Each structure stands twice: as C-alpha cells, then as structure tokens.
Amino acid sequence: MPRSCSARSRARARSERRRDDDVRAAAGRDYTKFLNPGGLKGARIGIPRAYYYDRITLTGDRAGTPDGINPTTGVTAGRGGLNAEQARVMADAIAVLKAQGAIVVDPADVPSLAAKDPKDNFAAWDFCSGADQAKGKDDGCSVNFKYGMKRDFNLWLKSLGPSAPVKTLTELRQWNTAHAKAGAIRFGQSRLDISDEMDLERDRARNDADMKKDSLMSRANGIDGVIKANNLNAILTPGGAGAGLAARSGYPIIVVPFGLIPNAPRPALPGAFNAKPAPFGVGFTGAQCSEPKLIEIAYAFEQATKKRVAPLL
C-alpha cells in the first residue's frame, strides 16, 4: 500500500499505481470510490492480542529477560506487548470501532504469533538484517531479504546499461569503503555486506526454503489464518507493528494516525532534549487483494476520529 498522509491520498496513489501498471488485471481502477465514511458499519475486525497487545512467552524463554527483540515485529522490548500508554490508545481505538458499528472479534490471535514453539512463531523468525546475522550466524533468520537485495540490485544496475555508475553491489561496497572518510558510509553498510556475501546459485535452495517458511508463517498461519478462522475483514494492530507481517506476506496494511504517547525510548534521550509526544497510529491489515475494503475501513476510522495533526515545518 502506498505511503501517504491520509486514506484519501492513499486511495488516489493506489489508483495511479494501477493505471500505470498494465500487467495488473485491475489496471485503471479508481480506488477513491471506496472512500466510504460508513465503511466501519458491519465490518468484522479482529484484535490479535497475542504479541501485538499482550507479551508472549515462548518455550525456552528465560524468565525476566527481554528475549526476542527484533526490528521487524517489535513493539516494546521483549516478545511484544504494549506499555500502559500504548494500551490506552488501542483501547480508545477499539471503542471507536464499536461506536461506528464494527463487529469487533476479541481476541482473534494470529496463529503464528500465538504458537509457543519458537520454530513456529513469527516473532522468533526475523529477516537477516545486520552483521550479527552474516553467513554462519543466520540459522535463525530468513535470508530472503539479503539474498533478494543482491539479486535485484545487480539486475537493476544491469538495466541501466553503460550509464550505471557502478556495475555490481560489490563495486558499490568498494566505492563506499574507499570514500568512507568523506562520509559515504557514516552509518556503516552491514546490510550491503551480508547481502553481497550471498551466492545467488549456491544459496538459492536456502532462499527458497526460507521463502516457503516466510509464506507459511505470514500467510497460511499468519494473516490468512486469523482472517479465515474468524471471518474477518481486517485485523487491528498497534502503531506500525503490523508492518512486518504484512510485508513478508505481501498483503496490504494501512496505518492511520490516532494517538500521542510519551516519547521515552530506551536508551533514554539526552537530558537536555525536550522530546515532544510521539505519534502512535493504528494499523488495519487485510488479506491479499483486500485493498477496497481496507480503504473503506481506514477512511471511515479516519473520518470518525480526525486525529491527524500536520507536522510543524
């Protein structure tokens, strides 16, 4: 789903994207017609409590330790869960859904996030994303991100022909290293490094296996699993936490601005830094090709709350 500042602009962006892509069956579709302010009435929306709202403990987790921290699906330290302020915002959002006539199914847990066995739990199966998940240390993560990065980046460079400033990912990394003192890689390039070490032929079988596991956890035992089991139109996730599951499944998600929470990250910000409250939205995730209904739901919620505040420039 395209990123934008409102449900209306998302619908317009989606419509333009469809018009430009003549290989899609729905080319030319006008998504703005799904901007229905009454779209929540009768919509079945699930509340996936396990992990997204309530902290989970997997088999083998040590008591009192923040096991399972990861960038893809993490909400708070440890295996999921909300703090008091985040929980308050989500309770308010659920109350809005009910007031607007939605049928709230609570709980409606995502099977792969309710599973106790780490081998079956999506929260314990991140994508390989840094130097600590390089070759030889990547058994517990999906290599699809780093494998696909090298494959697709090199294909893109090839498509540029003679105008390409570098010809391969390897050449880009070498250029960055040679110009490190000039600030070319101020924040490092570990993701490029672990991607470039992949062998597109010898590692193909591993990539295929990890893609199969990604699909099982994010689709069959993920979004499809919870939606089919509860006959849902969408699930409601806090903040941007639902993006990891949606991204690996390839399914749509729309995050709508809704609340503000204390800006208190860990580690803490410097004492002299006057941090303003942080935005905390709500995410609506649907099944494959559910964009029309998802736009209806997100737009109706947005119109019922109108909590978006334009940033000060």
Side-chain angles (χ1 to χ4, degrees):
M1 182 64 71
R3 293 192 179 196
S4 46
C5 62
S6 69
R8 181 178 294 278
S9 58
R10 289 186 191 97
R12 286 174 175 165
R14 190 69 178 177
S15 298
E16 291 301 322
R17 183 177 172 185
R18 291 284 185 171
R19 291 191 188 102
D20 292 341
D21 192 349
D22 58 7
V23 302
R24 291 180 181 266
R29 191 172 197 174
D30 179 12
Y31 280 77
T32 60
K33 68 183 180 182
F34 301 113
L35 297 171
N36 174 16
L40 280 172
K41 188 174 179 60
R44 292 181 59 85
I45 300 176
I47 311 301
R49 292 282 172 185
Y51 184 79
Y52 288 119
Y53 294 75
D54 301 330
R55 183 180 173 87
I56 60 172
T57 301
L58 305 186
T59 302
D61 280 354
R62 296 163 294 166
T65 59
D67 289 299
I69 297 174
N70 60 73
T72 307
T73 51
V75 180
T76 58
R79 297 197 191 270
L82 300 175
N83 62 36
E85 289 297 326
Q86 293 166 339
R88 177 188 58 77
V89 170
M90 295 311 297
D92 290 346
I94 293 169
V96 171
L97 297 180
K98 293 177 179 178
Q100 294 299 310
I103 301 168
V104 175
V105 181
D106 186 4
D109 288 333
V110 174
S112 64
L113 284 168
K116 289 293 186 181
D117 190 331
K119 297 192 302 295
D120 300 324
N121 195 290
F122 185 79
W125 178 244
D126 201 1
F127 66 90
C128 304
S129 60
D132 59 341
Q133 294 169 323
K135 271 195 171 183
K137 299 183 288 185
D138 57 3
D139 288 345
C141 59
S142 172
V143 302
N144 181 243
F145 178 75
K146 60 179 181 176
Y147 181 94
M149 170 64 188
K150 181 173 184 176
R151 177 196 61 208
D152 297 343
F153 187 72
N154 283 348
L155 285 173
W156 175 69
L157 287 173
K158 185 177 180 180
S159 74
L160 298 179
S163 65
V166 292
K167 305 304 179 186
T168 64
L169 177 58
T170 301
E171 287 188 20
L172 173 65
R173 290 176 52 245
Q174 291 171 343
W175 189 95
N176 286 341
T177 301
H179 295 81
K181 289 184 178 179
I185 46 175
R186 181 179 178 184
F187 300 104
Q189 57 175 1
S190 62
R191 288 192 174 183
L192 299 185
D193 293 338
I194 66 171
S195 175
D196 203 25
E197 71 180 0
M198 299 301 289
D199 186 301
L200 298 184
E201 291 302 322
R202 288 197 292 266
D203 293 326
R204 180 177 296 173
R206 167 69 192 274
N207 180 60
D208 290 346
D210 284 5
M211 284 183 65
K212 185 176 181 180
K213 184 173 181 178
D214 286 343
S215 179
L216 176 66
M217 286 194 171
S218 64
R219 291 187 175 193
N221 292 345
I223 296 170
D224 289 336
V226 64
I227 284 180
K228 290 178 180 178
N230 297 280
N231 190 28
L232 303 175
N233 297 114
I235 57 173
L236 180 75
T237 52
L245 194 65
R248 268 196 268 177
S249 65
Y251 290 178
I253 180 172
I254 301 178
V255 179
V256 180
F258 182 62
L260 293 171
I261 60 173
N263 198 340
R266 288 178 289 179
L269 296 167
F273 189 84
N274 182 24
K276 298 185 183 301
F280 194 77
V282 299
F284 296 98
T285 303
Q288 189 175 44
C289 298
S290 64
E291 286 91 341
K293 187 62 178 177
L294 214 58
I295 288 172
E296 275 197 352
I297 290 171
Y299 181 73
F301 182 87
E302 183 181 70
Q303 294 304 297
T305 56
K306 295 188 176 180
K307 291 292 186 73
R308 178 180 178 270
V309 177
L312 296 176
L313 300 178

